Amino acid sequence: MLGGREGHVPQEGRAWDSRGRGGKMASTAAGKQRIPKVAKVKNKAPAEVQITAEQLLREAKERELELLPPPPQQKITDEEELNDYKLRKRKTFEDNIRKNRTVISNWIKYAQWEESLKEIQRARSIYERALDVDYRNVTLWLKYAEMEMKTRQVNHARNIWDRAITTLPRVNQFWYKYTYMEEMLGNVAGARQVFERWMEWQPEEQSWHSYINFELRYKEVDRARTIYERFVIVHPDVKNWIKYARFEEKHGYFAHARKVFERAVEFFGEDHMDEHLYVAFAKFEENQKEFERVRVIYKYALDRIPKHEAQELFKNYTIFEKKFGDRRGIEDIIVSKRRFQYEEEVKANPHNYDAWFDYLRLVESDANPDAVREVYERAIANVPPIQEKRHWKRYIYLWINYALYEELEAKDPERTRQVYQACVELIPHKKFTFAKIWLLYAQFEIRQKNLQLARRALGASVGKSPKNKLFKGYIELELQLREFDRCRKLYEKFLEFAPENCTSWIKFAELETILGDTDRARAIYELAIGQPRLDMPEVLWKSYIDFEIEQEEYENTRNLYRRLLQRTQHVKVWISFAQFELSAGKDDSLSRCRQIYEEANKTMRNCEEKEERLMLLESWRNFEEEFGTESSKERVEKLMPEKVKKRRKLQAEDGSDAGWEEYYDYIFPEDAANQPNLKLLAMAKLWKKQQQDDNPERDPDKDLDESSP
């Protein structure tokens, strides 16, 4: 706001409002300050150009509106001026300190100014006052001690460093400066004493290395070794143990270095194994030309460290074997790598039996039975958690492979027997069983010439959980031993267990036939066909009929055919019956055969399956062509049906119309109901012939098909 002076009448001026618009100032009486009129703002919209405070400050800086000229240089010519200057400066420093005591930079500037005037006592006093304000300030201690060292006040500097490390023992810079000062002064014992005080606080790793390097500068190897012993206890990291061992190796103490590595391996144990430790150990032994030791170290580590944590170990082991090993060693590396892969798989999923099979196949390639047995025992310990056969099918092969390994590879029959016995005890036979394991056990005992144990095993199997396969295997064993009475008993037990099994009845009857007891065989067949339920009755009847034919009991065979036809009217039975009569070799065989065909044709007139009736007539026609007369041939030809093409409407699953389908149907002359159809068919053929005669170029088959119903 503008104002005027007394006795002066100012010109009318303008005042600026916040929008940059000006208004007139009213003049006042002489000698009084003008009071601006408040302009009425009509336009309250924001100005087009907005100016911020930041912009105003930046422009002021650029234009150097507040730049002050430097103070003029002052030359002091006598002591009085100097004292006056000192007084003014001290007053300025003290005023700054009084304003804010916690700003340590003011204290340091004050002390450094006194130091520049060689006023050391005053500078000490300032530093001490500053330490009373903030004794935790690291810079303050450093500046204080540096001042004493610059002025060669060694005892004062020691006193300050001693106070600093006592007050702030975790500030490593104080310890470094203190030990460096003592070493520069040649006070090795004093520096060592400071280091020892420092190590009591168990500082970081670099502090220990500084102490070790200090001792090595003065050739104190034994002292350095002692420090390393304490160091690896305070900081038990793998890299520190490796540095300790390399220190021993560098100074030629190879036995000590090996001992350090061995202690490190023992210290970390198997729970905290690190590949870098074993790589360093192996490289040390490699430098000492101890190649067998190197190989043992690598194998020991690879057997215990997980695969994903041993990549560097595998790499170094491979390089070592390529440099110093043979083909066998390189193969061992590959085997070890695959072993680690399988170990990871079975650890992730112990019930992954395929992974166990691959692992066992790999281990069996090694000639170490104990290792193979260990893996087998680990594998079979993973019993399926659910007692369902589908979960046990893969698992049971672990036991089978284990037993075969013990018998064939390890040549240990007693252990093989123990494996089989443990397996059959483990299987829940009340729910399911595995015939394969019982049969393999029995066959093993037979190979060991222990028939009694084999029979006992098979007897237990059919007693605990009878199965068709077990009975068949047991019977096969007794047949090979020619124990036919035992076979009969087993067949009886088998048929009591599964009376619907036609194959068992047939085999039992065949056994009796081989033994020459046809009456027993016939009785067995009679019992078989009398069963209410059979799985393959047609096979059983055929076997019974073949048996009677072999015995040349033709009358019994005819009776069997008649009995069979009472149960089924299948066309194949009639054809077989006719062929039997033809092959009987008697004088009336042709008439009997023709009679069977006629009887079959009459029986099958009401049969809905026209294809089967056609099959019978074709067989009859073939018979007549070979053995019949002209009249009999003509008779059969008249019975043959006509093949016609028809159409029928199809429907989809939802009942909608699905179009038309063409199919072939057979019309038999004997069927009275089909006579009109035959007449219609004859008329169609006649029309077709006429069309061919009138227009040979036209396709009558197409017209005939279109006119067919």
Side-chain angles (χ1 to χ4, degrees):
M1 186 174 66
L2 298 176
R5 291 175 297 176
E6 186 179 357
H8 175 69
V9 180
Q11 294 180 353
E12 188 177 17
R14 299 179 68 87
W16 296 87
D17 61 5
S18 59
R19 299 182 180 275
R21 294 188 290 269
K24 293 184 178 181
M25 296 177 59
S27 59
T28 59
K32 292 184 179 180
Q33 188 176 9
R34 297 179 185 178
I35 300 174
K37 291 182 178 180
V38 179
K40 293 182 179 181
V41 180
K42 296 181 180 180
N43 184 10
K44 296 184 179 181
E48 295 180 359
V49 180
Q50 297 289 320
I51 301 174
T52 61
E54 181 184 358
Q55 185 176 354
L56 292 172
L57 292 173
R58 187 169 61 251
E59 290 179 358
K61 176 71 175 176
E62 291 173 354
R63 297 178 184 178
E64 298 181 351
L65 298 177
E66 297 180 1
L67 186 64
L68 299 176
Q73 291 184 354
Q74 187 178 7
K75 294 183 180 180
I76 299 173
T77 57
D78 55 8
E79 185 177 356
E80 185 178 353
E81 288 184 3
L82 178 61
N83 292 332
D84 187 41
Y85 166 72
K86 289 180 181 179
L87 182 62
R88 288 198 310 272
K89 289 291 288 183
R90 284 174 183 144
K91 186 175 183 302
T92 303
F93 281 122
E94 291 290 346
D95 289 342
N96 290 338
I97 290 171
R98 255 195 320 275
K99 289 177 183 177
N100 196 346
R101 298 175 70 247
T102 59
V103 180
I104 301 300
S105 59
N106 293 335
W107 294 96
I108 294 174
K109 289 177 184 177
Y110 190 8
Q112 287 176 341
W113 180 78
E114 293 288 358
E115 182 186 354
S116 66
L117 297 177
K118 308 298 182 183
E119 296 284 351
I120 304 301
Q121 194 62 35
R122 284 181 173 273
R124 285 194 190 113
S125 176
I126 294 166
Y127 276 123
E128 292 293 338
R129 289 167 58 196
L131 288 174
D132 289 339
V133 174
D134 186 6
Y135 68 90
R136 290 189 179 87
N137 193 287
V138 176
T139 307
L140 195 59
W141 287 103
L142 293 175
K143 296 292 184 181
Y144 192 5
E146 285 174 2
M147 182 196 74
E148 298 292 359
M149 288 191 292
K150 283 180 185 177
T151 57
R152 300 181 182 278
Q153 300 294 326
V154 177
N155 289 330
H156 280 283
R158 282 193 183 115
N159 184 25
I160 293 166
W161 287 127
D162 195 77
R163 289 167 58 196
I165 61 178
T166 304
T167 307
L168 301 172
R170 292 298 179 188
V171 181
N172 294 329
Q173 198 171 2
F174 294 161
W175 297 98
Y176 284 123
K177 295 273 188 181
Y178 193 4
T179 54
Y180 179 72
M181 184 192 77
E182 294 291 357
E183 190 175 359
M184 289 297 100
L185 294 173
N187 187 9
V188 178
R192 185 176 291 117
Q193 186 178 3
V194 174
F195 269 119
E196 285 295 332
R197 289 175 60 189
W198 190 7
M199 296 305 111
E200 290 176 0
W201 289 95
Q202 297 183 356
E204 60 186 16
E205 297 176 4
Q206 186 58 40
S207 308
W208 292 89
H209 291 311
S210 299
Y211 190 10
I212 292 167
N213 293 332
F214 164 77
E215 295 292 358
L216 291 178
R217 282 197 293 272
Y218 298 98
K219 311 299 181 185
E220 295 286 349
V221 179
D222 292 336
R223 288 181 178 273
R225 183 180 294 114
T226 306
I227 298 166
Y228 261 120
E229 288 288 341
R230 295 159 58 192
F231 174 41
V232 295
I233 298 302
V234 175
H235 295 282
D237 296 334
V238 171
K239 60 180 181 179
N240 297 332
W241 283 95
I242 295 173
K243 288 178 182 177
Y244 185 13
R246 286 176 179 169
F247 156 78
E248 297 287 4
E249 182 183 6
K250 180 180 178 182
H251 291 87
Y253 297 99
F254 302 115
H256 286 184
R258 182 177 290 114
K259 189 174 181 181
V260 169
F261 276 120
E262 291 172 355
R263 285 174 55 199
V265 172
E266 183 180 357
F267 177 81
F268 289 102
E270 295 187 4
D271 296 333
H272 303 88
M273 297 181 72
D274 192 295
E275 63 172 346
H276 298 95
L277 174 62
Y278 292 93
V279 169
F281 194 2
K283 287 184 177 179
F284 163 75
E285 296 292 357
E286 184 178 339
N287 294 334
Q288 307 308 314
K289 310 298 182 185
E290 295 285 350
F291 301 130
E292 286 302 320
R293 281 178 173 268
V294 176
R295 194 169 284 112
V296 170
I297 291 167
Y298 277 126
K299 289 184 178 179
Y300 176 83
L302 289 173
D303 288 340
R304 288 163 176 81
I305 299 178
K307 172 184 172 291
H308 63 277
E309 299 177 5
Q311 299 295 330
E312 192 68 23
L313 198 64
F314 274 117
K315 181 180 176 183
N316 285 276
Y317 187 22
T318 307
I319 294 171
F320 166 76
E321 288 292 350
K322 287 180 179 178
K323 288 167 63 177
F324 305 104
D326 51 6
R327 181 176 178 180
R328 175 65 179 171
I330 297 174
E331 289 177 354
D332 287 343
I333 295 176
I334 299 172
V335 169
S336 299
K337 189 172 183 179
R338 289 176 60 194
R339 183 184 290 113
F340 271 108
Q341 293 175 352
Y342 292 136
E343 281 288 349
E344 293 298 317
E345 288 185 22
V346 299
K347 281 181 182 177
N349 184 7
H351 294 95
N352 183 5
Y353 301 121
D354 291 328
W356 282 111
F357 289 134
D358 296 336
Y359 190 10
L360 289 164
R361 197 176 300 113
L362 174 68
V363 175
E364 285 181 10
S365 61
D366 243 349
N368 188 357
D370 293 334
V372 178
R373 288 188 182 113
E374 180 187 357
V375 179
Y376 266 117
E377 291 294 336
R378 289 172 53 199
I380 62 178
N382 299 296
V383 182
I386 302 174
Q387 289 189 354
E388 293 182 9
K389 189 168 184 177
R390 60 190 180 91
H391 295 290
W392 285 64
K393 284 184 178 179
R394 298 293 291 165
Y395 170 70
I396 207 68
Y397 275 97
L398 290 173
W399 287 94
I400 293 173
N401 292 345
Y402 190 8
L404 293 176
Y405 172 79
E406 291 289 355
E407 181 184 2
L408 303 178
E409 300 294 335
K411 310 292 185 184
D412 192 341
E414 190 57 37
R415 285 188 66 91
T416 307
R417 185 176 291 110
Q418 292 174 4
V419 170
Y420 278 122
Q421 290 175 352
C423 180
V424 297
E425 289 176 4
L426 180 66
I427 298 171
H429 299 290
K430 291 184 178 180
K431 295 186 177 180
F432 57 85
T433 190
F434 290 93
K436 182 183 288 292
I437 198 74
W438 289 105
L439 295 175
L440 287 172
Y441 182 23
Q443 291 166 5
F444 159 74
E445 294 293 358
I446 291 171
R447 286 193 294 273
Q448 302 302 316
K449 299 180 181 179
N450 198 338
L451 183 59
Q452 192 65 27
L453 284 179
R455 282 177 172 156
R456 187 182 302 170
L458 289 173
S461 69
V462 297
K464 289 182 178 180
S465 52
K467 289 183 66 177
N468 293 350
K469 195 173 181 181
L470 285 173
F471 278 109
K472 290 177 183 177
Y474 198 176
I475 292 168
E476 185 66 27
L477 170 65
E478 297 295 352
L479 280 175
Q480 292 175 358
L481 297 172
R482 300 296 184 266
E483 294 285 348
F484 300 117
D485 290 336
R486 287 180 175 273
C487 290
R488 286 191 178 107
K489 292 180 181 178
L490 286 172
Y491 269 122
E492 290 173 2
K493 294 289 185 182
F494 189 8
L495 293 172
E496 287 178 7
F497 166 69
E500 73 281 355
N501 193 333
C502 293
T503 307
S504 306
W505 289 102
I506 294 170
K507 293 290 184 183
F508 192 10
E510 287 176 354
L511 172 65
E512 297 294 350
T513 305
I514 292 171
L515 296 175
D517 197 341
T518 56
D519 293 336
R520 287 180 64 91
R522 188 174 287 111
I524 291 168
Y525 276 123
E526 288 294 334
L527 284 173
I529 63 177
Q531 295 299 317
R533 188 167 61 90
L534 295 171
D535 53 1
M536 294 184 295
E538 66 279 1
V539 178
L540 180 63
W541 280 94
K542 186 178 184 304
S543 177
Y544 192 5
I545 290 170
D546 292 341
F547 164 74
E548 294 292 359
I549 293 173
E550 286 177 4
Q551 303 301 321
E552 297 182 355
E553 295 288 344
Y554 299 125
E555 195 60 37
N556 290 343
T557 307
R558 291 188 185 95
N559 293 334
L560 281 176
Y561 271 117
R562 292 298 176 182
R563 290 165 64 186
L564 180 57
L565 288 171
Q566 290 176 1
R567 299 193 179 194
T568 178
Q569 295 292 329
H570 199 277
V571 65
K572 289 186 178 180
V573 178
W574 287 106
I575 294 173
S576 176
F577 191 7
Q579 289 175 352
F580 158 70
E581 292 292 357
L582 182 61
S583 63
K586 294 187 177 181
D587 297 336
D588 57 348
S589 58
L590 294 178
S591 60
R592 282 179 176 274
C593 181
R594 189 174 290 111
Q595 183 181 357
I596 297 298
Y597 276 123
E598 291 176 353
E599 185 180 352
N601 186 33
K602 290 178 182 178
T603 305
M604 298 191 69
R605 282 179 183 176
N606 298 325
C607 179
E608 295 181 358
E609 297 293 334
K610 296 184 178 181
E611 286 82 1
E612 293 185 1
R613 189 175 176 186
L614 176 62
M615 189 188 304
L616 177 68
L617 291 174
E618 287 177 350
S619 177
W620 190 3
R621 182 174 61 184
N622 294 335
F623 162 73
E624 294 294 350
E625 286 178 356
E626 186 175 356
F627 302 103
T629 60
E630 291 297 331
S631 60
S632 61
K633 291 179 183 178
E634 290 179 2
R635 181 187 173 194
V636 175
E637 284 294 337
K638 290 179 180 180
L639 296 175
M640 297 299 292
E642 293 292 337
K643 184 178 181 182
V644 294
K645 185 189 291 185
K646 293 185 178 181
R647 297 173 66 197
R648 57 188 169 194
K649 196 172 185 179
L650 296 179
Q651 285 186 345
E653 294 181 357
D654 56 355
S656 60
D657 190 5
W660 293 82
E661 177 190 27
E662 290 186 350
Y663 70 100
Y664 288 99
D665 193 10
Y666 298 96
I667 300 175
F668 292 89
E670 290 183 326
D671 296 341
N674 292 332
Q675 290 298 328
N677 291 338
L678 287 177
K679 290 180 180 180
L680 180 61
L681 185 61
M683 292 173 64
K685 286 186 176 181
L686 180 61
W687 174 80
K688 179 180 178 182
K689 187 176 181 182
Q690 291 176 357
Q691 290 290 331
Q692 288 178 347
D693 294 341
D694 296 342
N695 191 2
E697 295 181 358
R698 183 176 175 86
D699 187 5
D701 290 335
K702 184 176 180 182
D703 297 338
L704 181 61
D705 292 339
E706 291 176 354
S707 63
S708 299

